[in-house]
Amino acid sequence: MKVVSSGSIDRIELMQTFIRIVESGSLSACARQLSVSQPTVSRRLQALENMLGQKLIMRSTHALKLTDDGERCYRRARQLVGNWYALEDELTNSHDEPVGTLRVRAPHAFGQDQMIAPLVDWLQQSPALNIEWMLNDRTPDFVAENIDCAIQVGALSDPDLVAIQIAEVPRSLVATPQLLASVPPLETLDHLAALPWLSLSTFYRTEITLKHTHHALSQTITISPRLLSDSIYAVRKAAVAGMGVALVSSWLVADDLATGRLLEPLPEWQAPPLPVWLTYPWASYYPARLRHFFSMIKQVMPTLTGTRPATK
């Protein structure tokens, strides 16, 4: 437990710990995220309960449950801590410079390729800032993983997040000339569906919706993948090897299409682009490092190779 020179307890620290206990779901998870021991977290919770004269959390072997007073305390504590951080930033960082550590989840392909250059440029302009750049295509658990914000591609699954569409990713349906030459000429989507397929499990498994480029037609086909992977690079390599038809981001196969290594089986049928989202939990206050990142990524993302501004 942190004690200041006057001997009084640091109330902000106690409330911050209480908030983290609630949001992480356990004392041990809270301890990991705050880089302290579990007994320290337990002492801080007990100190806050003693200070307020109320039981805030009921603990059992397997779960934590907020009391009614705990629910009220959690709501007010989030407001108070947010206001305190806003005041602290205002007084100690009058130039509104990004400082501290920012934790971001980014898509695996974009995160290791197109996004690194603008990220490095931004970091070079912010010497007091560090970033944890975590690459994964699945939906993050912002609280449990202690993530500040995420860049996500495709459909969103958490309606409680703040979600801002910042770009979209065109996609291409591709197969090798050898594969297409080994089957009767394709004339319908049923013929296309009968081919061997490769699935990018993050975005499609056994169904794909395609739209006709000249008519207001949309149709969903059912496919049977021979290979299913969560790696877009693996799917592209399998497609180039002739294993099956694949639906991938257009930027990844642009050279393959230009050289004729891959072809579009039915070019009049196209898959809709995938939306790119900036997502983060709602809060009453966001530190300068997060606000600056929001501004940078909104400006940069639609200009990267493989993306374009979101269609209105």
Side-chain angles (χ1 to χ4, degrees):
M1 180 171 60
K2 183 178 179 181
V3 180
V4 295
S5 58
S6 64
S8 63
I9 297 174
D10 186 336
R11 290 170 171 80
I12 295 297
E13 184 177 66
L14 297 187
M15 286 190 290
Q16 182 188 41
T17 301
F18 173 64
I19 292 168
R20 186 55 61 185
I21 292 171
V22 175
E23 294 183 347
S24 66
S26 71
L27 271 64
S28 58
C30 172
R32 287 193 300 272
Q33 292 182 10
L34 296 180
S35 298
V36 299
S37 67
Q38 185 169 330
T40 297
V41 170
S42 183
R43 285 195 298 270
R44 290 179 185 176
L45 174 59
Q46 185 177 11
L48 183 62
E49 290 178 330
N50 291 340
M51 182 185 300
L52 298 175
Q54 302 293 339
K55 190 70 173 176
L56 302 177
I57 293 178
M58 302 298 294
R59 284 182 276 177
S60 68
T61 305
H62 303 291
L64 300 178
K65 180 177 175 58
L66 284 174
T67 64
D68 290 343
D69 291 321
E71 292 275 6
R72 288 192 291 271
C73 181
Y74 171 68
R75 290 194 298 269
R76 295 299 298 274
R78 285 198 66 183
Q79 295 174 350
L80 289 168
V81 170
N83 290 339
W84 170 257
Y85 287 150
L87 175 62
E88 191 175 45
D89 260 10
E90 183 179 335
L91 296 179
T92 62
N93 188 23
S94 58
H95 299 295
D96 195 41
E97 296 175 354
V99 298
T101 299
L102 182 67
R103 299 172 180 85
V104 182
R105 170 72 66 76
H108 198 272
F110 274 116
Q112 67 177 309
D113 285 329
Q114 294 93 318
M115 298 181 70
I116 290 297
L119 184 67
V120 169
D121 289 342
W122 185 58
L123 284 171
Q124 289 175 338
Q125 298 170 28
S126 308
L129 178 69
N130 302 312
I131 190 163
E132 292 185 17
W133 190 245
M134 295 161 279
L135 305 183
N136 198 304
D137 292 306
R138 66 177 175 80
T139 301
D141 186 330
F142 287 88
V143 173
E145 299 174 59
N146 200 19
I147 295 172
D148 294 309
C149 67
I151 300 152
Q152 296 179 249
V153 178
L156 300 179
S157 58
D158 189 344
D160 295 327
L161 294 175
V162 179
I164 302 170
Q165 187 175 356
I166 55 177
E168 64 184 26
V169 180
R171 295 186 290 171
S172 296
L173 200 62
V174 295
T176 60
Q178 294 80 5
L179 174 63
L180 297 179
S182 69
V183 298
L186 301 181
E187 297 179 354
T188 68
L189 289 184
D190 287 338
H191 294 160
L192 180 66
L195 294 179
W197 275 82
L198 312 169
S199 286
L200 186 58
S201 60
T202 315
F203 302 110
Y204 68 94
R205 288 175 174 265
T206 59
E207 287 187 343
I208 288 179
T209 298
L210 301 172
K211 293 184 177 181
H212 200 281
T213 55
H214 304 304
H215 308 288
L217 298 175
S218 178
Q219 187 172 333
T220 299
I221 61 174
T222 300
I223 61 175
S224 299
R226 294 198 61 204
L227 172 72
L228 187 147
S229 175
D230 62 356
S231 168
I232 192 173
Y233 295 112
V235 170
R236 179 256 170 192
K237 284 192 174 184
V240 170
M243 182 174 288
V245 184
L247 177 59
V248 294
S249 300
S250 297
W251 65 268
L252 188 64
V253 292
D255 289 343
D256 299 317
L257 290 169
T259 61
R261 189 162 43 237
L262 292 173
L263 301 176
E264 294 184 274
L266 288 175
E268 67 274 21
W269 288 95
Q270 298 286 326
L274 292 173
V276 182
W277 306 93
L278 171 64
T279 63
Y280 50 91
W282 182 90
S284 59
Y285 171 74
Y286 301 103
R289 59 182 175 272
L290 205 51
R291 298 196 305 273
H292 282 252
F293 181 79
F294 291 166
S295 178
M296 182 274 290
I297 204 64
K298 289 176 187 177
Q299 181 179 4
V300 165
M301 196 73 204
T303 69
L304 297 179
T305 299
T307 69
R308 65 190 186 196
T311 304
K312 300 298 183 183

